[in-house]
Amino acid sequence: NAGVTQTPKFQVLKTGQSMTLQCAQDMNHNSMYWYRQDPGMGLRLIYYSASEGTTDKGEVPNGYNVSRLNKREFSLRLESAAPSQTSVYFCASIFGPGEKLFFGSGTQLSVL
Amino acid sequence: GESVGLHLPTLSVQEGDNSIINCAYSNSASDYFIWYKQESGKGPQFIIDIRSNMDKRQGQRVTVLLNKTVKHLSLQIAATQPGDSAVYFCAERGFQKLVFGTGTRLLVSP
C-alpha cells in the first residue's frame, strides 16, 4: 500500500519551461489536493479536486493548471515556469469531509 | 525539502521533557483541527485531530487542547524523544478547506 505517490522528487527548470508533476493515490480517496510550501508561509492550496471530474481553484492558482485524470491520479502543470514557483509541492488526498489528509513525500522544484 | 523550516519559531527541549506547541487560528467558524508532523524531506504526517465540540483529546503521548474562546490550539507531547524533532503544523477546517499554520520547529536534545 503505497499511499500517495509523487513524481519526480526533484526538478530544476529554466524560466519559461513547462513540466507536469504527477500524483497518484491507491486508497480509493475521492478528493485530491495540490499544495505548495514556502519558508514561513505554511502550506498553501493551489488547486483541489473534490471528486473525479471536478477541479477548483485554491488560494494560489495563478500559473498552474490541473487535471484529474481518473480517481487515482491528479496532475499539476506549470505551463511557463517562473522563479516565484520555486517551492516544495505536495499532493494530498482524503476520502471524505472530516477525514485526515494523507500527503505524498513532495517534489522540490527550482526554477532558475 | 531542506528549505522548509527557515524563519520558523523554534522550541528547544531536553529529551524526557514535556513539550507544548501552540497555534492561534483565525476562523471562529472552523469546526475541525488537525496537528501534523513534518520531518525533513518528507510530507506532513497526521498526529491527532479534534472537533470543535471537544476541548481536549488524547493520543499516545500526545494531547491536543482547544480553547475556542481565544481561538487557540495546543499540542502537548509527553516525554519528548529525539525522534519527535520535526516541524509541527496546525490546520483548521473552515468552509470545507484546510488552512495550515506556518509551523513550529521542535528540537530535542539528548
Side-chain angles (χ1 to χ4, degrees), chain B residues 60-102:
Chain B
Q60 188 175 14
R61 284 202 306 118
V62 294
T63 300
V64 55
L65 299 177
L66 175 63
N67 185 331
K68 294 183 287 293
T69 303
V70 295
K71 292 189 286 187
H72 183 267
L73 195 65
S74 68
L75 177 71
Q76 300 179 358
I77 304 174
T80 313
Q81 302 168 0
D84 295 325
S85 293
V87 176
Y88 290 81
F89 294 93
C90 66
E92 59 178 303
R93 185 183 70 185
F95 309 115
Q96 300 296 318
K97 294 193 187 100
L98 276 180
V99 176
F100 288 83
T102 53

Side-chain angles (χ1 to χ4, degrees), chain A residues 37 40 90 98 100-101 104 108, chain B residues 4 36 38 46 51 89 93:
Chain A
Q37 187 174 41
F90 288 99
K100 54 183 182 275
L101 274 174
Q108 191 160 347
Chain B
V4 171
Y36 282 91
Q38 186 176 23
F46 171 87
R51 300 193 186 277
F89 294 93
R93 185 183 70 185

Side-chain angles (χ1 to χ4, degrees), chain A residues 63-92:
Chain A
Y64 305 95
N65 284 301
V66 290
S67 295
R68 184 73 183 269
L69 302 170
N70 46 56
K71 192 171 186 179
R72 290 188 63 247
E73 299 173 285
F74 188 40
S75 62
L76 178 73
R77 183 160 179 83
L78 286 71
E79 290 291 351
S80 179
S84 61
Q85 294 178 303
T86 293
S87 188
V88 181
Y89 291 85
F90 288 99
C91 178

Side-chain angles (χ1 to χ4, degrees), chain A residues 9 33 35 37-43 45 48 57-58 88 90 96-106 108, chain B residues 1-8 32 34 36 38 41-46 49 51 89 93 96-98 100-102:
Chain A
K9 294 188 76 66
Y33 302 78
Y35 288 90
Q37 187 174 41
D38 302 294
M41 300 290 285
L43 285 153
L45 182 64
Y48 68 102
K57 295 179 180 179
V88 181
F90 288 99
E99 304 268 337
K100 54 183 182 275
L101 274 174
F102 286 85
F103 284 87
S105 56
Q108 191 160 347
Chain B
E2 290 302 315
S3 63
V4 171
L6 290 176
H7 316 302
L8 288 178
Y32 178 58
I34 313 176
Y36 282 91
Q38 186 176 23
K42 297 183 179 179
Q45 291 178 284
F46 171 87
D49 58 2
R51 300 193 186 277
F89 294 93
R93 185 183 70 185
Q96 300 296 318
K97 294 193 187 100
L98 276 180
F100 288 83
T102 53

